[in-house]
Amino acid sequence: MIDRGVLLVRIAVRNLLASPINLLIGGLILLGTLVFVLLGGLLDSLNQAMQRSVVGSLAGHIQIYSASSKDELALFGQMGNFPDLPAINDFPKIQDALTKVENVKMVVPMGISAAIITSGNIVDVTLEKLRNLYKARDGQPSDPKLSGVPREELVLRIESEIAHLRQIIKVLRGDVEKAMADMVNTKSVEPRNVEALARVEQPAFWADFDQAPYENLEFLENRIAPIVTDTSLVFLRYVGTDLDKFQKSFDRMRIIKGSPVPQGQRGFLIADLMHEDQMKLKTARRLDKVKDARLNGRLIATDDELKRFVKENRHQTRELVLQLDGLKTAALVKSLQALLATKETSIDVLLSQLLDTTDENFEERYAQFYELVVPQVQLYRVKVGDMLTIKAFTKSGYVQNVNVKVYGTFAFTGLEKSPLAGATNLMDLMSFRELFGYLTSDKAEELKEIQRATGAKAVSRENAEAELFGEDAEVVAEATPGVIDPDAALAGTGRKLREEDLIRRVYTQQHLDDGVVLHAAVMLEDPSRIDEAIARINQVSQEQHLGIQAVSWQKASGILGQIINVFRALLFVAVGIIFIAAMLIMYLSVLMATLQRTQLFGTMRAIGAQRGLILSMVLIESLVLGLLFGGLGMLAGWGVLAAIATTGIAAPNDVMYFFFSGPRLIPQLSTWPLVVALVIILVVTIGSTLLPALMAMRVSPLRAMQADE
Amino acid sequence: MRNAMLLTMCLALAGPALAADLTKEEMHKLLTELDDRQRNGGDYKALAYLEQKEKDKADVVREVMIFRRDSDDKLMLLFTKPKSEEGKGYLRLDKNLWSYDPGTGKWERATERERIGGTNSRRSDFDESRLAEEFEPKYEGEEKLGKFETLKLELKVKDGVDVAYPVVKLWIDKVNHNILKRQEFALSGRLMRTAYYPKWQKLFSESKKAEVWFPGEMRFFDEVEKSNSTLVLMKSVDLSNLDLNMFTKAWLESKSR
């Protein structure tokens, strides 16, 4: 039997090398296998890298959310929208049930949402500071940071802010004149505002400012601030979570600036990339980007984006100038004159000259900017330690504001530059619940009571005109004056004080667990058994009526998780085309070879060869061809992968950091592409050879001899 | 006022034939009359109930106090119910609309499109009527609204005026000159909101020495999100004088201390 097999293989090898067409077929099989093993390996590595990114940054291995949700959970957004998830009310029960499921390590409560941070323009911001300083001076501080600051210091700070304000007004005069000349901004040239500007330019206005500070502040707020139209608005994605549990479960998370939120307290952590990209002074951020790019070998002289950054820095000095008061401006002018060896007196021109960077002077100017200019201005619009006012639409659709303290910024190791991982901020669970606006039974009852007391009649849109203006309608009525007393209605509100108390409060674990959440991350002991864990969680939910559903990290990541499946499908299509071509050519060539060898097969049959021997001979010829070249293809694919793995593939842009789970993708050869490639080779070779082989098997010795005659 | 009475008499006597030919001047007089009868000249204080209904959401319910000083174009809204909304408010000074949240202690600029208290009502729904000042009218004929004969006008906002909706259609009761229906459109012509005013009340004002009219009930139907609607009920109105320094940020802040 073995001798027969060896003989057949030897015949196959001899026949293989005898025909050039076999080399073509072998080449195609080699190419197909190489592409499959190489791309399959890369995709597998990409999938694993993305899994590390998604699992390690937000999703955990499994996500659970309400089984009654109409929307699917999409942690990274679904076509720009957020899913509308029903609230999970009884989280402690769910947590208790899930932690008993085998392989579940931890359940982290979450709620993903979006909010806005608004701040007025530079005049609004400065006036707000000034107002807070005056209130603190007058013994009614509204900014907790100013409580306890000595009066003398407050007076000095007031003087400094007023000096800053007067500097801004000088800049505004230039803006107004320019706008009037260009006739581009009708709002800023509104005559009343221009008159107001003329009034506040007079020293007399400032000499008497302290006589009626609040009245003067309102004048500035309502007449001068509207001249500046560039109000800033930052959109903020955040996850409300148990921050302590989050940090323990997502071990790639690390604090970059500041500190973690103290256990059980309210607080906010800003994604560091967002802090840099959207909250840093634009000029400084552009300089940072140029510095990074130059470290990666790009040059200002040849790179269009870097040229644009330099141009913007030269022309957009206004945001710097608006932050300087008179004293700071004078000091900076002096230092810049010395540095740039010029007698120029305009701060705009001097800053523009400093920021006119080239490849030759960049490093020096970068250091000079941070040394001379940055200490005079506010580098970040939100700093660690600031109180952030976050505005969000509640579940009921109305706007809710919450103050939270910013304790620090964070990033995930390896994903520091990824805009996807760096787009989500973290907030404590209690503040999240407040912004979510979940209606507790007490609140719902209070609203019902107000509705009952009013007794308003419901009118449908369809019948509105008939009901409101029908035959019985009486539109006109006499009214009697009523007593309206705001003091009686608001007695004992003291809401501000309660809010300040909330910021300092330390919540117990029971407080954190006992409340509404929207979804939760489930961390597993053994992530390779994820499918089993999902099935078990879904089963437990049904048995215990938990009303939740469990999905994998891939499904929970929304459209992002599907990208890898799309890539995989494309790979199969591409490889499929190569192998179908190989199969067709193989089929035709084996068919031709069989027809050419009819006489040989007939002779073999005549001298006693069985049909099975003929069939085996033809099949083994093809198998040897497939396995030899397929094996070579696998080896080549593995070799290329190994070569790539020595340095890895650099992420071509910041977005790819997320897919590569870091700055480089290090591919690893996994077994599935080899196994699948082997199966495909066997299918292709046997599939394409079977019919010609059966034909060869059926050749009769008589027919072969007749053909010869 | 005399002009307004004359116009009313003319419209009532001449009937549809004359009404069909309302001149620009007559329309302007009509708008001025609508504004004048709602204007007090002195101060105005009201307690209103707001209710917003949206599909699949809990009702938003609020009680709000409205303070107006028409002579200075000042307006202030102060929320008193429910507890979570106590002390929140809006203040309009000149062309600036500010919103205040005592929870954060912050004032923020709001636009004319601000949804007051999360409902589909706007600042202009509570403020002094300024139709003649803000819009140019166009006559669109007569129309029957339930049992009422109405005059239909289309108003377009004047250049440089900031309003919530730039195009407005009004259905005005031919007899009493009350606005019964109002439709508001975006610049693109898309219908955004339909409002009904089924109750008009009047109160004698000492400062004006005449009656002041106000809508006792306003119903707004959202035309974009068709299932959303807002109800505003004026529970009581008081025309006595308000504190001199009331329309300030400091006053509103002091209410939640």
Side-chain angles (χ1 to χ4, degrees), chain B residues 73-227:
Chain B
D73 291 347
K74 285 174 176 163
L75 170 80
M76 181 156 61
L77 304 178
L78 171 64
F79 289 89
T80 55
K81 280 183 186 172
K83 283 195 189 91
S84 58
E85 297 299 300
E86 275 178 15
K88 287 185 183 176
Y90 293 91
L91 179 60
R92 187 192 200 248
L93 295 169
D94 297 323
K95 289 186 175 177
N96 304 271
L97 180 63
W98 298 93
S99 75
Y100 177 66
D101 184 344
T104 61
K106 289 247 168 105
W107 286 92
E108 277 184 24
R109 285 185 187 279
T111 68
E112 286 298 312
R113 281 150 286 278
E114 172 87 2
R115 295 162 59 89
I116 299 296
T119 69
N120 199 14
S121 61
R122 304 287 183 275
R123 186 276 309 162
S124 52
D125 298 324
F126 304 97
D127 210 344
E128 184 187 0
S129 177
R130 295 186 184 92
L131 293 171
E133 187 187 316
E134 293 175 341
F135 293 95
E136 283 295 346
K138 190 179 116 193
Y139 186 58
E140 288 209 333
E142 288 186 15
E143 226 176 81
K144 190 117 172 150
L145 189 69
K147 71 173 183 182
F148 298 94
E149 295 287 345
T150 64
L151 302 169
K152 192 175 167 191
L153 301 188
E154 186 190 70
L155 312 182
K156 283 199 173 142
V157 70
K158 289 179 181 172
D159 284 346
V161 178
D162 188 20
V163 290
Y165 303 103
V167 179
V168 170
K169 285 187 181 181
L170 295 179
W171 282 254
I172 303 161
D173 183 354
K174 228 170 122 181
V175 179
N176 284 309
H177 287 193
N178 290 312
I179 297 170
L180 299 184
K181 180 178 172 183
R182 176 178 170 129
Q183 283 195 323
E184 290 152 323
F185 299 80
L187 204 57
S188 61
R190 183 177 185 182
L191 176 59
M192 305 298 288
R193 200 175 73 148
T194 297
Y196 294 104
Y197 302 87
K199 291 273 175 291
W200 281 91
Q201 291 176 290
K202 51 189 176 176
L203 201 61
F204 186 79
S205 161
E206 285 298 334
S207 56
K208 190 181 178 185
K209 303 290 178 208
E211 281 170 332
V212 174
W213 288 74
F214 59 91
E217 182 177 329
M218 297 184 257
R219 289 184 184 266
F220 302 101
F221 291 96
D222 195 323
E223 298 291 352
V224 181
E225 294 289 335
K226 294 275 186 187
S227 50

Side-chain angles (χ1 to χ4, degrees), chain A residues 248-414:
Chain A
K248 279 181 192 153
S249 308
F250 295 86
D251 52 10
R252 288 178 79 172
M253 177 195 161
R254 62 194 174 90
I255 298 292
I256 306 290
K257 303 175 195 124
S259 63
V261 177
Q263 194 171 354
Q265 272 188 259
R266 289 174 177 240
F268 199 83
L269 294 173
I270 302 174
D272 196 64
L273 187 71
M274 188 182 188
H275 195 236
E276 292 292 317
D277 262 353
Q278 295 189 39
M279 296 177 183
K280 194 172 189 176
L281 206 65
K282 288 190 182 75
T283 307
R285 185 61 183 150
R286 282 191 289 260
L287 283 172
D288 294 347
K289 283 185 172 174
V290 175
K291 189 179 168 73
D292 264 8
R294 281 172 43 80
L295 285 175
N296 287 326
R298 290 162 66 189
L299 291 172
I300 297 171
T302 53
D303 191 303
D304 284 344
E305 190 186 29
L306 301 191
K307 278 184 197 164
R308 179 169 58 82
F309 285 155
V310 173
K311 191 177 169 191
E312 283 170 355
N313 273 354
R314 270 179 27 229
H315 293 295
Q316 297 176 15
T317 53
R318 190 172 174 275
E319 68 161 358
L320 297 169
V321 176
L322 278 174
Q323 287 208 33
L324 301 168
D325 63 23
L327 288 174
K328 284 178 180 171
T329 306
L332 197 55
V333 165
K334 207 173 159 189
S335 344
L336 289 177
Q337 279 174 337
L339 183 81
L340 301 166
T342 172
K343 288 182 179 170
E344 175 61 54
T345 52
S346 158
I347 185 70
D348 281 306
V349 176
L350 286 166
L351 284 169
S352 182
Q353 284 178 12
L354 176 75
L355 295 165
D356 189 6
T357 47
T358 60
D359 290 309
E360 287 70 40
N361 69 9
F362 182 81
E363 294 303 324
E364 193 186 6
R365 292 287 169 87
Y366 181 88
Q368 288 161 347
F369 176 81
Y370 272 90
E371 189 187 331
L372 293 176
V373 182
V374 167
Q376 310 294 337
V377 293
Q378 192 175 317
L379 190 57
Y380 294 95
R381 53 179 289 196
V382 178
K383 303 186 297 295
V384 170
D386 279 0
M387 198 63 81
L388 196 62
T389 300
I390 296 173
K391 183 186 214 177
F393 284 95
T394 63
K395 182 79 179 157
S396 305
Y398 63 90
V399 174
Q400 180 75 288
N401 295 298
V402 162
N403 274 356
V404 276
K405 186 178 170 183
V406 177
Y407 278 89
T409 69
F410 74 98
F412 297 101
T413 306

Side-chain angles (χ1 to χ4, degrees), chain A residues 54 365 469 504 623 643 649 697:
Chain A
V54 175
R365 292 287 169 87
F469 304 115
R504 285 190 291 271
L623 271 177
I649 304 166
M697 185 183 81

Side-chain angles (χ1 to χ4, degrees), chain A residues 218 221 457 461 475 487, chain B residues 109 200 219 222 249 255:
Chain A
E218 289 205 0
E221 284 159 355
K457 182 182 142 196
R461 168 193 289 273
V475 169
D487 291 324
Chain B
R109 285 185 187 279
W200 281 91
R219 289 184 184 266
D222 195 323
K249 289 184 173 180
K255 293 297 127 186

